Amino acid sequence: MTVVGNGVEALELAGKRALVTGGTRGIGAAVVRRFLDAGAEVLTTARSASSEAPKGAALVAADVRTREGAEALAAAAREVLGGVDIVVHNAGGASPYRSASDIPAEEWQDALDLNYLAAVRLDSLLAPGMREQGAGAIVHVSSAAVLTPVGPFLHYVAAKAALESYSRGLALELAPFGVRVNTVTPGRVATPGGEETRERWARLDPSQGLDGAMVPLGRVGEPEDIAEAVLFLVSPRAGWVTGSALVVDGGEFPRR
């Protein structure tokens, strides 16, 4: 919430319709909760219909890795929300391998489908509506792994790097229509998926730490840290911000 005059609180996303992919746990769930607190109407997704969304959000089961899944999700957003003002692409992830040469071809394709092409497909379906209404905000959730690419995650890192490049290009294309596109680039965050991935990596390479010892601010991030960054980028406070990549990592990773 923001505060405007005489201590009166304003819901800065009141009246906004938001779609958040992968919003049933971790960063996605934190974004959904923060949007709801800010007054938005929220639709989120999970691969399984048995998943539970944060209270107050609508949920649709959708596999965003496929064109059919993206089309079904876009149709659901129009049906449930009547259109969208905000889109947050949070669904993502990949498993580590011992080296880049050990990554199977199908894992490369899956990483591209989930971490990059899902956003491209969904944006192509929903951005035209934002252009027509002359306003909108899109946020792509990337990863600070793009700042220090390593072989075990090269399929994931390459997909996220493509996502960031695509985001900058899309921002330039949509800016004249009042639609802003930005990227949030999280570092080491305490989420169920992130912890599982780091544990698998540590089994492959015991030198990899699981705690926040290497983070200059002294701790791993919380999902809420990323949700606040996403909220800022979709809010009127960031009305002159587009084509940016906001790194939220406690200072751990070197900047370009």
Side-chain angles (χ1 to χ4, degrees), residues 43-229:
L43 172 66
T44 191
T45 71
R47 292 189 196 180
S48 171
S50 63
S51 300
E52 292 187 8
K55 185 177 180 180
L59 174 68
V60 61
D63 187 350
V64 297
R65 295 173 299 178
T66 68
R67 183 178 301 278
E68 295 77 15
E71 290 172 348
L73 179 53
R78 297 187 189 102
E79 179 180 352
V80 174
L81 301 176
V84 294
D85 305 295
I86 297 166
V87 177
V88 178
H89 297 281
N90 169 73
S95 295
Y97 287 81
R98 290 192 178 278
S99 68
S101 59
D102 290 324
I103 302 171
E106 59 271 20
E107 288 294 316
W108 278 96
Q109 187 61 58
D110 189 69
L112 287 169
D113 283 332
L114 178 58
N115 297 286
Y116 170 49
L117 293 175
V120 174
R121 291 168 180 148
L122 197 55
D123 289 345
S124 70
L125 294 165
L126 295 177
M130 294 181 173
R131 286 179 50 155
E132 290 177 9
Q133 66 192 24
I138 298 171
V139 172
H140 299 131
V141 179
S142 181
S143 169
V146 301
L147 301 172
T148 55
V150 293
F153 286 100
L154 204 52
H155 53 328
Y156 175 71
V157 173
K160 289 298 191 183
L163 179 66
E164 292 200 6
S165 181
Y166 157 75
S167 298
R168 289 191 291 271
L170 187 64
L172 292 175
E173 180 174 313
L174 295 180
F177 304 95
V179 181
R180 298 182 299 105
V181 184
N182 292 289
T183 304
V184 168
T185 305
R188 196 185 303 250
V189 180
T191 66
E195 293 303 310
E196 291 166 7
T197 299
R198 284 188 284 274
E199 288 172 2
R200 287 196 295 268
W201 192 14
R203 287 195 291 270
L204 295 172
D205 181 359
S207 69
Q208 299 302 319
L210 298 177
D211 58 25
M214 300 301 293
V215 181
L217 284 181
R219 66 172 176 87
V220 298
E222 296 295 333
E224 290 74 19
D225 293 318
I226 311 306
E228 288 296 335

Side-chain angles (χ1 to χ4, degrees), residues 11-16 38-40:
L11 296 171
E12 59 186 334
L13 297 187
K16 299 299 184 182

